[in-house]
């Protein structure tokens, strides 16, 4: 049974980013065949799209390291990175305005009909950066253009995979994830779902073709309004987000979920926020690089729920229907705050998995990264710092080629943890004020070259002061190079790892991590496997029970 997730629009790209981190944390566990991740966004230069594409490749490199070590291990341990992803795209189409598409379908020949359905602006607007909050334009685009995509198009390849599985009687799981208050997500999600539902076999005789799309399990992960924007040129109006979302939900209610002959979706997941974060106004392109948000995180958990619940056989009686993600917040305090804690999440794996990644990033920054890479490049006395771990894992790395290979793998880890720490920090910074201990404008401020600055608020998930220092450390690290800057120090020490993650007891110390890392290796570690074994041992040692 194949697994397919269509990440639609800019919000979809942000959810792909969160899904990859969830897979790295082990919250999304999907061993076996790769998840087909399909980016659907005509804005090929979008900042969030580029971030998601880059992270997909980086996740694959990290997974290769962990998988190599797991294959050599005597027993499998849960250290994340089990899910594999294959990336496809619907991003490149011939740029065309609505007027051109209408003419190609015959409707545009009647100017009065065209102007009755679309404004002059909509008839002439370019799709180069999406649909600018005009789902009526996007809906016609997808309905008319999907059937005309060439067979060699990346999107067509995915659809053909789905068709082949359906023809064989399979039940592929297909999730479409994006927002319903903009343009691309609101138009593409229902259009692609219907397109798949209407798939047939490829009988040469059109009159004898058999409908197969009904066998697919199709879900939707709908993001409701969770942000507003600063004032712009009026092309996109944030004041229309709520009315657009209401209209979209009325549409989904009419379509039916999990019942009726004309049903399109099996389950529908919904996530939104009444406390809106404010993003800078942008109509697309590289400047559309919105910070991570809690709804992305919850959306990733919905992806996991859809793909992994009853993996052997989908149970429509149990799984069809609507899902509204709620958080179990603390009771209001005297100030009316309802804190977000690790216990707020329905899946206990959230804390253990994300804490493992954050602790590993911290230990590499304070203790292991700099001296190990320096040793491997021969730029300091060999094994001078943390010599027990270095000797255990890297003493058989002798040739220059093996040393270079180990250093490159360290750089992969440095790049991944840079992205993870940045993503988690953005998520903490954009949390609604009632979820935080500090008030707006308060927090732990850090900044750096280029004038960037971030205020990490006090919260219940992580130590805000330590996260701010860790964020600055990784953001200033050039291309994942731990050897390019001294270990994280100053107001942070390696022993602070025990207080980094909220709600942990005193057993989670650096000494405990160090002893665990040393104890796990074997005398057979050598050559190219040294870093893979070290990384897997570190992730295991940083695990939270």
């Amino acid at each position: 049974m194949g697994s397919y997730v269509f990440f639609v629009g800019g919000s979809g790209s942000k959810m792909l980013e969160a899904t990859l981190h969830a897979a790295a944390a082990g919250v999304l566990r999907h061993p076996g065949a790769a998840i087909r991740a399909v980016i659907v966004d005509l804005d090929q230069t979008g900042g969030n799209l580029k971030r998601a594409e880059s992270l997909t490749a980086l996740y694959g490199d990290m997974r290769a390291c962990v998988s190599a070590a797991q294959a050599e291990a005597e027993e499998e341990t849960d250290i994340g990175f089990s899910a594999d992803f294959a990336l496809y795209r619907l991003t490149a189409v011939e740029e065309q305005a609505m007027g051109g598409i209408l003419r190609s379908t015959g409707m545009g020949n009647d100017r009065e009909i065209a102007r009755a359905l679309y404004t002059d602006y909509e008839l002439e607007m370019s799709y180069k950066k999406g649909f600018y909050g005009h789902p009526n334009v996007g809906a016609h685009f997808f309905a008319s253009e999907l059937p005309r995509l060439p067979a060699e198009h990346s999107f067509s390849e995915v659809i053909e995979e789905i068709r082949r599985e359906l023809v064989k009687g399979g039940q592929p799981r297909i999730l479409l994830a994006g927002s319903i208050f903009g343009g691309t997500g609101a138009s593409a999600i229902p259009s692609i779902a219907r397109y798949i539902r209407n798939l047939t076999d490829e009988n040469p005789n059109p009159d004898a073709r058999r409908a197969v799309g009904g066998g697919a399990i199709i879900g939707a992960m709908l993001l409701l309004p969770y942000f507003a924007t600063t004032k712009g040129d009026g092309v996109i109006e944030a004041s229309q987000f709520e009315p657009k979302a209401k209209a979209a939900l009325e549409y989904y209610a009419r379509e039916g979920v999990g019942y009726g002959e004309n049903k399109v979706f099996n389950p529908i997941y919904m996530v939104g926020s009444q406390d809106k974060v404010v993003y800078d106004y942008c109509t697309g392109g590289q400047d559309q690089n919105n910070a991570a948000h809690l709804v992305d995180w919850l959306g990733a958990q919905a992806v996991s729920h859809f793909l992994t619940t009853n993996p052997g056989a989908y149970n429509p009686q149990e799984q069809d229907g609507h899902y509204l993600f709620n958080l179990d917040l603390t009771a209001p305090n005297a100030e009316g705050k309802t804190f977000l804690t690790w216990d707020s999440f329905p899946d206990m794996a959230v804390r253990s998995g994300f804490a493992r990644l954050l602790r590993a990033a911290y230990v590499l920054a304070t203790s292991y990264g700099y001296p190990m890479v320096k040793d491997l490049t021969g730029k300091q006395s060999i094994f001078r710092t943390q010599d027990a771990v270095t000797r255990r894992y890297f003493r058989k790395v002798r040739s220059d080629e093996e040393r270079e290979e180990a250093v490159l793998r360290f750089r992969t880890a440095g790049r991944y943890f840079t992205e993870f720490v940045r993503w988690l920090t953005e998520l903490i910074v954009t949390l609604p004020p009632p979820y935080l201990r500090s008030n707006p404008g308060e927090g732990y401020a850090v900044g750096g070259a280029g004038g960037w600055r971030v205020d990490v608020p006090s919260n219940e998930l992580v130590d805000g002061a330590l996260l701010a220092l860790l964020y600055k450390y990784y953001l200033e690290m050039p291309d994942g190079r731990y050897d390019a800057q001294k270990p994280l120090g100053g107001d942070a020490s390696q022993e602070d790892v025990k207080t980094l993650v909220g709600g942990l007891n005193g057993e989670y110390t650096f000494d405990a991590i160090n002893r665990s890392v040393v104890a796990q290796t074997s005398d057979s570690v050598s050559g190219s496997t040294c870093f893979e074994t070290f990384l897997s041992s570190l992730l295991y040692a940083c695990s939270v029970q």
Side-chain angles (χ1 to χ4, degrees):
M1 180 174 65
S3 297
Y4 305 82
V5 185
F6 292 75
F7 295 96
V8 185
S11 293
S13 290
K14 290 176 68 210
M15 210 182 311
L16 172 55
E17 191 177 11
T19 299
L20 291 164
H21 290 308
V27 176
L28 169 57
R29 300 196 67 196
H30 190 278
I35 298 169
R36 268 60 173 168
V38 188
I39 294 178
V40 180
D41 193 344
L42 302 189
D43 184 4
Q44 299 180 61
T45 62
N48 288 117
L49 182 149
K50 293 300 183 184
R51 260 170 55 167
E53 288 182 327
S54 176
L55 184 62
T56 303
L58 191 53
Y59 172 92
D61 293 340
M62 283 287 285
R63 183 178 182 275
C65 292
V66 174
S67 298
Q70 289 281 50
E72 298 292 328
E74 295 182 359
E75 60 182 54
E76 183 178 351
T77 54
D78 180 15
I79 54 174
F81 295 96
S82 70
D84 191 13
F85 291 84
L87 188 62
Y88 297 81
R89 300 167 179 83
L90 175 52
T91 57
V93 295
E94 182 180 352
E95 185 184 347
Q96 192 173 26
M98 174 57 71
I101 289 183
L102 291 176
R103 284 189 292 274
S104 69
T105 59
M107 186 184 299
N109 295 327
D110 192 324
R111 183 74 177 169
E112 292 185 5
I113 293 179
R115 296 193 62 170
L117 295 172
Y118 304 98
T119 66
D120 288 341
Y121 173 80
E122 289 172 336
L123 288 171
E124 299 303 325
M125 63 181 275
S126 165
Y127 304 148
K128 188 174 182 179
K129 294 184 179 180
F131 300 104
Y132 306 102
H134 293 260
N136 56 326
V137 177
H140 190 93
F141 168 85
F142 286 109
S144 61
E145 293 300 292
L146 291 182
R148 302 197 297 184
L149 290 174
E152 63 273 13
H153 195 286
S154 178
F155 183 86
S156 301
E157 293 177 11
V158 175
I159 294 298
E160 191 54 35
E161 283 190 31
I162 294 172
R163 187 201 309 275
R164 286 197 297 265
E165 187 170 348
L166 290 169
V167 169
K168 294 177 181 178
Q171 283 192 312
R173 293 198 189 191
I174 304 160
L175 185 69
L176 297 114
S179 74
I180 60 170
F181 55 93
T184 303
S187 56
I189 290 174
S191 298
I192 295 174
R194 280 206 173 278
Y195 183 68
I196 293 172
R197 282 285 183 226
N198 292 329
L199 288 176
T200 65
D201 63 17
E202 294 188 306
N203 192 312
N205 181 0
D207 296 331
R209 286 178 183 167
R210 174 174 59 93
V212 295
I217 306 299
I218 302 180
M221 171 61 247
L222 307 179
L223 291 183
L224 308 179
Y226 65 94
F227 70 86
T229 67
T230 56
K231 188 174 179 59
D233 58 11
V235 174
I236 298 173
E237 290 286 353
S239 62
Q240 294 302 306
F241 288 171
E242 297 283 353
K244 287 180 179 179
K246 181 180 178 181
L249 289 176
E250 290 174 350
Y251 165 82
Y252 285 101
R254 288 197 306 271
E255 290 301 297
V257 181
Y259 54 84
E261 294 182 0
N262 296 319
K263 75 175 181 184
V264 176
F265 299 99
N266 295 92
I268 286 185
Y269 302 84
M270 290 175 282
V271 179
S273 176
Q274 293 180 332
D275 296 287
K276 306 293 191 292
V277 65
V278 179
Y279 291 138
D280 289 337
Y281 180 87
C282 181
T283 56
Q286 62 183 4
D287 292 335
Q288 186 175 343
N289 192 10
N290 293 336
H293 193 278
L294 179 62
V295 300
D296 309 328
W297 202 359
L298 294 175
Q301 293 176 57
V303 173
S304 177
H305 184 273
F306 176 77
L307 295 181
T308 63
T309 303
N310 295 330
Y314 186 88
N315 188 329
Q317 286 73 32
E318 293 181 6
Q319 294 171 253
D320 279 6
H322 297 82
Y323 295 85
L324 185 62
F325 270 69
N326 292 310
L327 294 168
D328 187 12
L329 304 172
T330 63
N333 65 7
E335 299 177 353
K337 289 181 176 279
T338 53
F339 298 131
L340 178 72
T341 71
W342 293 109
D343 293 332
S344 300
F345 297 95
D347 188 348
M348 292 302 295
V350 172
R351 179 174 72 173
S352 61
F354 284 99
R356 176 173 56 241
L357 290 176
L358 187 60
R359 282 157 54 83
Y362 189 85
V363 169
L364 282 169
T366 59
S367 310
Y368 291 152
Y370 177 82
M372 284 185 173
V373 178
K374 281 289 189 182
D375 288 345
L376 287 167
T377 55
K379 294 182 179 178
Q380 72 173 42
S381 299
I382 195 74
F383 309 142
R384 185 169 60 186
T385 308
Q386 300 304 341
D387 61 339
V389 174
T390 311
R391 287 182 186 277
R392 294 284 282 181
Y393 286 90
F394 299 102
R395 62 190 174 90
K396 292 187 178 181
V397 180
R398 297 187 176 94
S399 71
D400 290 342
E401 183 179 349
E402 288 177 343
R403 287 174 178 272
E404 183 178 353
E405 196 169 332
V407 169
L408 288 175
R409 281 166 168 72
F410 261 107
R411 194 167 296 174
T412 294
R415 288 198 297 266
Y416 172 74
F417 284 118
T418 296
E419 291 305 305
F420 173 72
V421 170
R422 179 197 53 74
W423 175 84
L424 184 63
T425 303
E426 288 180 356
L427 191 148
I428 298 293
V429 169
T430 56
L431 283 175
Y435 294 3
L436 301 167
R437 285 200 169 277
S438 55
N439 295 312
E442 301 174 350
Y444 304 95
V446 289
W452 67 267
R453 172 192 167 96
V454 65
D455 296 309
V456 181
S458 177
N459 63 93
E460 294 290 308
L461 298 177
V462 299
D463 184 307
L466 293 176
L467 182 61
L469 294 173
L470 194 64
Y471 177 82
K472 179 178 174 64
Y473 174 87
Y474 275 104
L475 206 67
E476 293 182 341
M477 177 191 290
D479 195 30
R481 292 186 55 192
Y482 284 103
D483 59 319
Q485 55 189 19
K486 295 289 186 180
L488 176 63
D491 294 332
S493 72
Q494 60 188 28
E495 285 303 331
D496 286 330
V497 71
K498 65 186 177 185
T499 61
L500 177 63
V501 178
L504 299 187
N505 57 41
E507 298 176 4
Y508 294 97
T509 63
F510 172 76
D511 183 60
I513 292 172
N514 197 50
R515 282 187 280 107
S516 176
V517 172
V518 172
Q520 290 176 67
T521 191
S522 67
D523 291 336
S524 64
V525 176
S526 64
S528 62
T529 63
C530 63
F531 178 78
E532 288 91 338
T533 308
F534 164 73
L535 177 62
S536 296
S537 298
L538 176 61
L539 290 170
Y540 179 80
C542 290
S543 295
V544 173
Q545 303 302 319

